[in-house]
Amino acid sequence: MTGGSQTPVPVPRHTFLEAGRGHYGAAAQLAKEPKHVGPADHLAGLAAECAVKAMLMDYFGSVQDTPLGIPYSPKIRNRPVPSKTQQKKAEKESLHWHMPDVWNDLVKLAAGRRGSLILSHLPQDNPFAEAADEWSVDHRYVDGQQISEERVARHLEAARTLIAAYYLAQ
């Protein structure tokens, strides 16, 4: 390379909403076959997670600028804290990981008219955190035989609601 300056590499725009819509469509198709309820449930959770992350980034100031690409909230990360230990805790709390925890991040960070609008369309309780229906990214390792069609239907409805809430808040 000649010259003294390098062209900066553009930061790609996140594709959480598009990924969420794709996961939702695949989950809805898989849910039609009883033998595929496990993968359908897993994809429904991923769809919901992606929709939440899209809202956090597009509407509530979260960013995705770390080497691992894990989105986080600067509001939480950069809040004033009295010690290094609490700073590390804030950094950890600021990360948007997986369902059901990322749902709680949305509830915590949704603010203003847009936040009120989004939260008014969501169920009062996190459907991915209910004891009988708890969703985990680790369920990708299970065979799905203990997952009911009713559970998948609830998770699909929650994912659809989150995707719709994204659009309502535009």
Side-chain angles (χ1 to χ4, degrees):
M1 186 171 135
T2 60
S5 66
Q6 289 183 318
T7 304
V9 177
V11 176
R13 183 190 161 311
H14 76 83
T15 58
F16 286 115
L17 185 63
E18 293 84 359
R21 290 176 49 186
H23 293 321
Y24 176 81
Q29 286 298 326
L30 286 171
K32 294 175 183 177
E33 278 291 323
K35 67 181 179 182
H36 296 305
V37 294
D41 191 57
H42 188 70
L43 288 173
L46 291 176
E49 179 181 309
C50 287
V52 169
K53 288 177 179 180
M55 286 187 273
L56 289 168
M57 291 187 62
D58 291 346
Y59 303 147
F60 304 114
S62 292
V63 296
Q64 184 185 23
D65 63 1
T66 63
L68 294 177
I70 301 166
Y72 68 93
S73 169
K75 291 176 189 174
I76 296 172
R77 180 170 289 187
N78 300 329
R79 68 181 182 224
V81 293
S83 70
K84 280 261 193 226
T85 302
Q86 289 189 348
Q87 179 60 40
K88 288 284 185 198
K89 183 178 177 188
E91 287 177 19
K92 187 175 180 182
E93 288 175 3
S94 73
L95 296 172
H96 303 313
W97 288 100
H98 301 290
M99 278 296 179
D101 298 325
V102 75
W103 179 291
N104 301 331
D105 295 344
L106 178 62
V107 171
K108 186 181 344 178
L109 294 167
R113 182 197 66 78
R114 185 174 270 157
S116 296
L117 177 65
I118 289 169
L119 294 178
S120 73
H121 285 85
L122 301 185
Q124 188 71 26
D125 295 320
N126 180 345
F128 296 93
E130 295 176 18
D133 284 351
E134 185 172 26
W135 186 94
S136 170
V137 73
D138 296 330
H139 290 165
R140 66 188 179 270
Y141 303 120
V142 299
D143 64 12
Q145 292 193 15
Q146 71 281 11
I147 297 173
S148 70
E149 291 179 37
E150 293 80 18
R151 171 185 163 156
V152 175
R154 283 190 296 274
H155 289 167
L156 278 169
E157 177 62 21
R160 188 200 61 73
T161 299
L162 285 162
I163 292 168
Y166 178 95
Y167 288 109
L168 286 170
Q170 284 184 319

